[in-house]
Amino acid sequence: DVLLLEGIEPVTYKGAMTCPDSKLWLDAMQSEMDSMYENNVWDLVDLPAKVRPLQCKWLYKIKHAVEGQQDTY
């Protein structure tokens, strides 16, 4: 579990990697990737000719408990 102390939500990967909590954001992203891998969320396949892959984007959000305090990931 990861607790983000600053309460700052970066907008981009670069922002996440340059903020004081960069190690925590990186740990949270690695945890998410591990979870998707363990749950077989996708299959890697060769891309057909003239087909562009879908883009994706990380969204950086801090979970909050009911009382408004930061929650752990």
Side-chain angles (χ1 to χ4, degrees), residues 39-50:
N39 290 300
N40 297 312
V41 172
W42 61 71
D43 293 319
L44 295 179
V45 298
D46 291 329
L47 193 62
K50 297 184 181 181

Side-chain angles (χ1 to χ4, degrees), residues 24-37 58:
L24 299 175
W25 285 114
L26 192 58
D27 290 346
M29 289 187 290
Q30 186 62 55
S31 175
E32 184 69 18
M33 292 297 292
D34 291 344
S35 174
M36 288 190 284
Y37 178 77
W58 283 102

